[in-house]
Structures are given as C-alpha cells and as structure tokens.
Amino acid sequence: MAALTSAKSALRKEIKGILRNISLEERKQQSAQVFEKLRLLKQYQDSKRISLYLSTKDEIDTLPILKHTFDTGKEVFVPQYRGKTMEMVKLRSMEDYETLPLTKWNIKQPSTAECRENALEKDGLDLIILPGVAFTINGKRLGHGMGYYDKYLKRCFQKQSVKPYLVAVGFKEQIQEDVPVNEDDVPVDIVFTGQ
C-alpha cells in the first residue's frame, strides 16, 4: 500500500511538471479537440443529466462544454465540496455560472449556503465528465489524491439502477502506459485527449 501511495504521488509530481510546460495555445487547441470528440459521442448526445467539473488553467477547458450543454437543453450538475465529501448540484444557466463564488483552490463552486438540486437526490446522472492527473487509454485514472470522485462514483452506483457513462478528459501529455491504481480507484468508460 505504501509503495502504491508513493508511486501515485511521484506520478502526480511528474505530470504536474509536464503540464506547466504546455503552452496556452496548445491548451486551447487540445481543449477544442476534446470538446469536438465529446460533442460527437452518442452517449453525450443522448444524455439529459450531465455532471461536469469547472476547470482550472491546468485542466482541459470545460467552458465550451458547459455552454454546449445549456444550448442543447441538458441539465448540468457541478461539484460542490463540503469537507471530505463532494456532491453534484444543479447549475441553472451560464449567468448562474458567472456569479459563482471562488473556492480557496480558485475554482468556481456553488455556495453551500444555497439550496440547489442534488443530482443523487432526484433522477441521478446519465454522464459524468471527470478530471484527473493521469490516465491510460483503457480507462485507468489517477485523480488529485483526495478521492472525491471515486467516493462519489461509488455512492452514485449504489443509488442509480443504471450506471452513468464516465468520460475522463485530459491533455495528451497525461496519457501513460500504466497508472498505479487500487480497488478504490474507479475506472472510466472512455478517455478523451487532444491529438
């Protein structure tokens, strides 16, 4: 277990170093390519209720995806962190997004004081778009180390009769031959990166 933990943190450190060297132009280009792949994905097109992370500058830009989900009439849910747990709560519109407060991590997040629809308390989710640090082509995912998504997905699978389709998105530089995982790490259905 200790060996796995240190392998994970070594890889996180390595990838963070690589990500720092990706130019803004390259980030924009890869983000656009990921958006295009997602837009053409049948599971995305068929989904009514989608969960999407709100990106930081070191991640694939999810703003075009967010705009598209609203434009196509889908319901959108975004992460809301409360201590050690994460919920997916409803975002109503692009205006709603614009007015979200920033967290200490500099990520927009709905205020915990506000009452919003919780995805798992109503109709669940059809598709979840996940961030991560490193991925393999066949769906292994290394997160940021807090386990928010893995814990959330397990709760989601228990509550929903139909599992949501899991799409991880990242830069091509985040794809690895292999990624250290254990039984708590939930694999994803598909990984989209830029070319």
Side-chain angles (χ1 to χ4, degrees):
M1 191 67 196
L4 182 75
T5 307
S6 73
K8 283 182 171 187
S9 54
L11 183 55
R12 281 190 189 103
K13 206 170 166 179
E14 183 190 327
I15 299 286
K16 281 182 180 143
I18 292 169
L19 291 178
R20 271 196 291 273
N21 294 319
I22 302 175
S23 70
L24 191 61
E25 196 44 52
E26 179 66 15
R27 286 168 198 269
K28 280 186 178 157
Q29 207 175 343
Q30 287 201 44
S31 293
Q33 290 164 341
V34 166
F35 170 55
E36 206 43 45
K37 288 177 184 179
L38 182 72
R39 225 171 46 83
L40 299 172
L41 182 71
K42 187 176 184 337
Q43 288 87 340
Y44 171 76
Q45 292 168 358
D46 295 346
S47 293
K48 301 274 181 281
R49 293 167 64 89
I50 287 180
S51 150
L52 176 67
Y53 71 96
L54 300 175
S55 53
T56 66
K57 65 178 178 52
D58 290 330
E59 296 173 315
I60 288 291
D61 181 8
T62 57
L63 211 51
I65 301 169
L66 185 65
K67 287 187 179 124
H68 188 262
T69 52
F70 285 126
D71 290 347
T72 50
K74 298 178 189 304
E75 291 183 78
V76 185
F77 295 82
V78 297
Q80 182 186 63
Y81 300 94
R82 298 170 183 238
K84 297 226 181 295
T85 63
M86 174 179 79
E87 297 297 338
M88 291 295 174
V89 297
K90 191 164 192 175
L91 198 58
R92 293 178 281 273
S93 62
M94 283 310 291
E95 292 72 37
D96 187 13
Y97 164 78
E98 298 297 344
T99 59
L100 290 180
L102 285 172
T103 66
K104 64 180 181 199
W105 297 299
N106 224 20
I107 301 168
K108 281 181 173 273
Q109 174 184 299
S111 161
T112 51
E114 232 183 311
C115 193
R116 287 178 182 259
E117 182 187 321
N118 182 325
L120 292 188
E121 285 167 13
K122 199 168 174 215
D123 300 321
L125 292 162
D126 302 323
L127 183 135
I128 299 178
I129 298 167
L130 302 90
V133 176
F135 314 95
T136 63
I137 286 298
N138 65 353
K140 285 184 185 177
R141 171 185 166 273
L142 177 69
H144 290 279
M146 301 297 283
Y148 284 119
Y149 271 92
D150 294 312
K151 287 179 204 142
Y152 184 80
L153 293 173
K154 290 198 167 85
R155 283 174 42 223
C156 197
F157 298 163
Q158 285 166 351
K159 284 210 163 183
Q160 294 188 203
S161 51
V162 178
K163 265 176 65 169
Y165 193 77
L166 306 181
V167 181
V169 297
F171 298 105
K172 65 175 187 264
E173 289 81 357
Q174 291 173 275
I175 293 289
Q176 301 289 301
E177 281 290 304
D178 199 14
V179 170
V181 291
N182 62 16
E183 66 283 350
D184 290 328
D185 299 313
V186 179
V188 298
D189 296 300
I190 196 163
V191 179
F192 283 152
T193 66
Q195 297 302 340

